[in-house]
Each structure stands twice: as C-alpha cells, then as structure tokens.
Amino acid sequence: MTPAIHVENLSKTYPRSWRSAPVNAVDDISLSIGEGEAFGFIGPNGAGKSTTIKILTGVLRASAGRAELFGHDVALPIARAGLGYVPENPSVYDFLTPFEILKMGMRLHGVKVSDERQHCMIWLERFGLSAVANKPVRAFSKGMTQRVALAHALAIKPRLLILDEPLSGLDPVGRKDVVDILGEYRSGGGTLFFSSHVLHDVESIADRFGLIHRGKLLTIRSPQEVVADQADRYVLRYRKNAEIDGEVSVRAGLHVLEVGALELPQAIAKIQADGAVLQDVRPKASLEAVFFKAIASGNEGAP
C-alpha cells in the first residue's frame, strides 16, 4: 500500500552570510507514515519541525531528497488533494465569518454534501463556534482563530491532516476538545501528522512519534516501545504525613516514590502500613523522559 507520507533523505539548507556557514534546518531525514496512522512530530524550538511541514505542504522546496503524499511529489497540486493543513499561526481572511471560511474551503476542495450550511454548522458546533458563526473573524482571540482554522481543515473531509502545533493558543478546555476530535478523526481512518510541544497529548493521540533535534531525526518510536524500555521502574504517588526513605515531596502531603519492579510489592505494603493513601502506580516510562534523554544525546554529539 502506498504510504500517506513518504520522506527520503530530505534536507533543507538556508544560506547564511559570507562570514558564516549555511544552516541545515532539516538534515537528511527519512520516514514513512501509513494511511490511517497518527504520527506525532516533536522537538525543541528551531529543531526543524515547521520546516519539514512546510516542505510537505508545498510551502517550501527541499534542498535535497524527496517527499511524497500518497505517492505524488509534494510539488504537484494533486499531492494536496484532500489535504487539511493548519500552520502554527493560521492566517484567515479576518473580514469573513467562520461559516464563510468553511464554505469557501469546501468549494475550493470540491467537497459535495446534501446540505452545505448544515455540514459547516456541525463542524463549527464541534469546535464551540456556532454562536459566532456569522461574526467577522477579526474580533476573535488567538484561540478562537485557531479553532476556526481547525474546523476549516476538518470540514473538507480530509484524507490527511497536517497540523503544526494545533493546540497552540487553546485553553485547557479547548485543548481537550481538540484532542478528542483528533482522536475521533484517527479512529475513523484519517491520517494525522502533527507537531506539538504538549508531550502528554502526543502520547494520547499518536501511534508513533518522531523526535527531531538540530534538523536530525533522532528516533522514531511508539508509546508501547517507550513503556517496554523502562518497564522495570515504577512511580508511586501517595498522600501522608510521615516520611519514607527515598521519596520526593511534590507539595505538602503529596509524595512520589520511584522503585524497581522487584521492590514494588514491598513499597506498596510499606506505604499502606504507614497509613498513607496510595493515589496511583505508573510505569516510569514517558515520552518526556525519552525526549530529554534523546536531546541530551544529540547535544553531546553536537560540534
């Protein structure tokens, strides 16, 4: 089956002045993402995430290598058929209303539905925008504008969603709503490629994630692989007043203790024997741990 996204030896170099060397924003990366997969793209600021996304969407041209969407070179218009894209800072026609923006997107993509207005209003309702469907976007906050752009991307019935920091500017309630909607899109068979600084949300949504640093793709992993790598360590959170050797106090009355798998039963028994209330027991493995470990390794290899 043809992958939804295929990148091979992709590079993007920006020239500098005669006094300094060129900058490799994307440095020889390769990856393949299948149809129906949700792929998270993580890395610190300036790592190359947005540059990669701009190449995939045809905004930038690569310096070397190739990138394809559904088997078509990203430079060809056919590659972007059925592509929903939201940049990190979406720019929409602020004199238009959310309804007009969604309707325009549907017509540009040739989306046919029995009731155009109803289709648009369903998506505006999903993103909490139905009450302002007919108000100009110029009066909207950053978070509301972000939601308009996301509603526009989903209203065109995309087979592929490419989102650059889709949760940027959203409040906690808005972020949860978007995470739920993206999870439904993924469950419905849609393909999702997104960058994010919110590692917890990447863990919640992505089937796999790629970590990029200084233009290099350091690792491609699945959440299951992350757990397997650190399956012998556990973190216990509990509430109590007394102290247990090795614990870390998070705040008054709330403590954390890290133990190995063999020590886990004894640690639980000790916590309960001391009259503490055990809140949860979780594997130490997390995307955050992988993130910082990979970044540290990448920095060690930097000139």
Side-chain angles (χ1 to χ4, degrees):
M1 181 181 292
T2 303
I5 297 175
H6 182 71
V7 171
E8 190 172 322
N9 304 120
L10 193 70
S11 296
K12 178 62 180 179
T13 302
Y14 291 107
R16 282 286 187 92
S17 68
W18 61 273
R19 294 182 177 180
S20 56
V23 175
N24 294 321
V26 176
D27 192 357
D28 194 33
I29 69 172
S30 298
L31 62 91
S32 190
I33 299 167
E35 286 192 51
E37 184 177 4
F39 190 91
F41 206 38
I42 64 174
N45 291 333
K49 302 187 301 296
S50 292
T51 299
T52 302
I53 286 175
K54 288 176 181 177
I55 292 172
L56 291 176
T57 55
V59 176
L60 288 177
R61 180 170 293 183
S63 302
R66 64 191 181 98
E68 297 176 347
L69 302 182
F70 297 100
H72 300 287
D73 190 285
V74 293
L76 301 174
I78 192 173
R80 293 184 290 280
L83 168 63
Y85 167 52
V86 179
E88 182 175 4
N89 296 299
S91 177
V92 298
Y93 294 115
D94 64 2
F95 58 88
L96 295 178
T97 67
F99 171 70
E100 290 169 335
I101 290 170
L102 266 63
K103 182 173 67 174
M104 177 182 65
M106 290 175 60
R107 292 183 178 181
L108 286 172
H109 283 267
V111 177
K112 304 295 183 183
V113 295
S114 58
D115 189 328
E116 191 174 64
R117 180 173 182 81
Q118 182 185 40
H119 179 79
C120 292
M121 290 305 298
I122 287 173
W123 281 110
L124 292 175
E125 176 69 33
R126 291 299 312 277
F127 283 94
L129 297 165
S130 58
V132 294
N134 298 307
K135 294 185 178 181
V137 174
R138 66 166 58 95
F140 288 8
S141 66
K142 179 182 178 182
M144 290 176 69
T145 302
Q146 185 80 4
R147 282 184 276 154
V148 171
L150 288 163
H152 168 270
L154 282 155
I156 67 165
K157 297 184 176 181
R159 59 176 179 169
L160 169 63
L161 267 179
I162 296 181
L163 310 176
D164 194 357
E165 296 290 346
L167 307 174
S168 174
L170 299 175
D171 60 27
V173 174
R175 194 168 73 236
K176 181 184 182 304
D177 289 342
V178 171
V179 168
D180 290 344
I181 291 169
L182 294 180
E184 291 172 15
Y185 171 78
R186 166 198 171 197
S187 298
T191 306
L192 175 63
F193 181 94
F194 70 105
S195 70
S196 180
H197 287 111
V198 186
L199 302 183
H200 172 73
D201 294 329
V202 175
E203 288 181 296
S204 301
I205 301 170
D207 298 305
R208 291 188 300 154
F209 65 88
L211 197 159
I212 186 171
H213 182 48
R214 300 181 187 270
K216 291 279 191 183
L217 190 59
L218 300 183
T219 185
I220 297 177
R221 312 280 288 284
S222 69
Q224 292 78 12
E225 290 172 324
V226 172
V227 171
D229 284 350
Q230 300 184 50
D232 61 338
R233 303 296 295 176
Y234 290 86
V235 175
L236 299 84
R237 290 198 310 167
Y238 50 94
R239 296 184 177 277
K240 65 172 212 39
N241 295 319
E243 292 187 3
I244 296 177
D245 290 343
E247 72 179 17
V248 175
S249 177
V250 177
R251 57 178 181 271
L254 180 62
H255 304 269
V256 170
L257 179 66
E258 180 185 329
V259 298
L262 296 178
E263 303 166 301
L264 183 60
Q266 293 86 349
I268 293 175
K270 173 65 174 173
I271 289 169
Q272 293 175 333
D274 285 356
V277 177
L278 184 64
Q279 286 200 176
D280 55 49
V281 179
R282 295 179 295 176
K284 183 186 177 183
S286 70
L287 183 52
E288 185 176 19
V290 174
F291 179 89
F292 287 113
K293 182 177 179 180
I295 295 301
S297 299
N299 286 336
E300 288 174 4

